[in-house]
Amino acid sequence: MIDFLIRYFLIFLLSCNCFSQDMVFVGYNKGNPVFDSFNENKLYVLIEGKPELFLTYPKGKAIHLIKDDCMISNVKKHLVVSFKGKDTDYNINSAFIAADDCGNVFITDSEDSIIQLFGGKMKETGINGFVVAVAGNTLYYSVTHDPDIVNANADLYAWSLDGNRPPKCIVKNISGESTAILKDGKLIYDEVLYKGKFIPVLYNVEVSKYSKIQVPDEYSNVIPFYLVNENMLVFYKSNPLSFLKIKVPFIFDFKR
């Protein structure tokens, strides 16, 4: 067991006991994770393991996503896209939202259609699914097998935003509830069904193989974020804010 842990995982636990508010990860600013302390109406950016105040926002606004110069929020059931200081209001709402580096926003509407928001206009993409993320000029989205079944019920697709190629299925039979796109699409985090139990895994897209991740139960109910400089997955507890770092494995040999 010791050899297994040394080969595959390096785990650190960091605590920020001074922050007792509920906080949730909402994205990145210049590679640093950003957390929403929604009870305070404040955003904090994590710098060298410590949360620092990023900005304060007005009551009645709900933050969905931060991606560098782009912030997507909800105000009175309207989505507001703030890009480089300019706000654009869209008369639509969604829980499935992703953005690229140029202020293009993609959402899933109430009919499960993927819509592009840009320049005050809403454009149909002709694709159905649940938006996950945009990374490396590629939109990632999941398609469920059966909407009445929870977990182990989705396939993940990638669609190049240059529009010259059709969507491609990246990985099949994942939960679809915990998906994270890491390292510009080279790694996929999610849960899969294994021997009657859902377990967290990393999927290496380049070699089409899995690695099983060991996560303590108290950290297993969140989707991790990724620290580029440290090559670490980071799980967290929101109150008080604490972190569990797990080094990305270099061997992918788990068979489902």
Side-chain angles (χ1 to χ4, degrees):
M1 176 61 74
I2 292 176
D3 180 64
F4 175 85
L5 291 176
I6 291 175
R7 288 176 58 201
Y8 290 89
F9 306 107
L10 181 60
I11 300 178
F12 298 90
L13 181 63
L14 308 174
S15 296
C16 303
N17 294 323
C18 56
F19 287 85
S20 59
Q21 297 288 339
D22 287 320
M23 302 179 77
V24 61
F25 170 73
V26 291
Y28 299 91
N29 179 262
K30 298 179 180 179
N32 297 308
V34 179
F35 288 83
D36 180 18
S37 179
F38 46 87
N39 291 325
E40 295 182 294
N41 299 110
K42 294 180 179 179
L43 296 179
Y44 292 89
V45 59
L46 193 68
I47 298 178
E48 296 182 353
K50 296 182 180 180
E52 297 184 5
L53 183 63
F54 182 53
L55 61 84
T56 300
Y57 58 88
K59 292 183 178 179
K61 174 180 285 191
I63 307 298
H64 284 295
L65 178 67
I66 300 289
K67 189 170 184 180
D68 294 328
D69 293 325
C70 188
M71 179 174 72
I72 298 103
S73 58
N74 180 289
V75 179
K76 296 181 179 179
K77 298 183 178 181
H78 284 207
L79 288 182
V80 178
V81 177
S82 303
F83 184 66
K84 294 185 176 181
K86 180 181 178 181
D87 291 351
T88 305
D89 184 287
Y90 295 90
N91 185 19
I92 197 169
N93 197 7
S94 178
F96 301 92
I97 301 171
D100 68 9
D101 296 329
C102 300
N104 286 287
V105 175
F106 297 87
I107 69 167
T108 298
D109 68 8
S110 59
E111 302 296 325
D112 298 346
S113 297
I114 296 178
I115 308 295
Q116 180 183 7
L117 311 180
F118 186 74
K121 298 180 180 180
M122 297 187 288
K123 177 184 176 182
E124 293 272 359
T125 64
I127 296 174
N128 288 348
F130 297 94
V131 168
V132 175
V134 174
N137 200 40
T138 299
L139 172 67
Y140 294 85
Y141 65 96
S142 62
V143 176
T144 58
H145 302 165
D146 185 339
D148 296 324
I149 300 177
V150 178
N151 288 326
N153 183 42
D155 301 332
L156 183 69
Y157 285 80
W159 181 50
S160 175
L161 295 181
D162 60 22
N164 294 328
R165 288 171 289 175
K168 178 182 178 181
C169 184
I170 301 298
V171 60
K172 294 184 176 183
N173 298 319
I174 57 176
S175 78
E177 303 286 334
S178 307
T179 314
I181 310 301
L182 310 171
K183 296 187 72 171
D184 288 332
K186 295 179 181 178
L187 296 176
I188 310 296
Y189 171 87
D190 209 320
E191 294 183 348
V192 298
L193 187 61
Y194 179 69
K195 294 183 178 180
K197 182 180 180 180
F198 289 103
I199 62 169
V201 296
L202 272 180
Y203 181 75
N204 188 315
V205 175
E206 293 179 336
V207 299
S208 301
K209 293 183 178 180
Y210 296 89
S211 182
K212 186 166 65 171
I213 304 293
Q214 293 182 338
V215 183
D217 290 342
E218 61 266 33
Y219 288 93
S220 62
N221 62 343
V222 299
I223 301 175
F225 58 90
Y226 177 68
L227 293 179
V228 176
N229 294 336
E230 301 179 40
N231 197 28
M232 293 276 192
L233 287 179
V234 185
F235 297 79
Y236 68 95
K237 291 191 296 186
S238 63
N239 190 358
L241 187 61
S242 62
F243 303 98
L244 175 73
K245 290 185 177 181
I246 300 181
K247 190 172 183 62
V248 171
F250 56 88
I251 296 177
F252 289 79
D253 58 1
F254 172 67
K255 296 180 180 179
R256 296 177 62 176

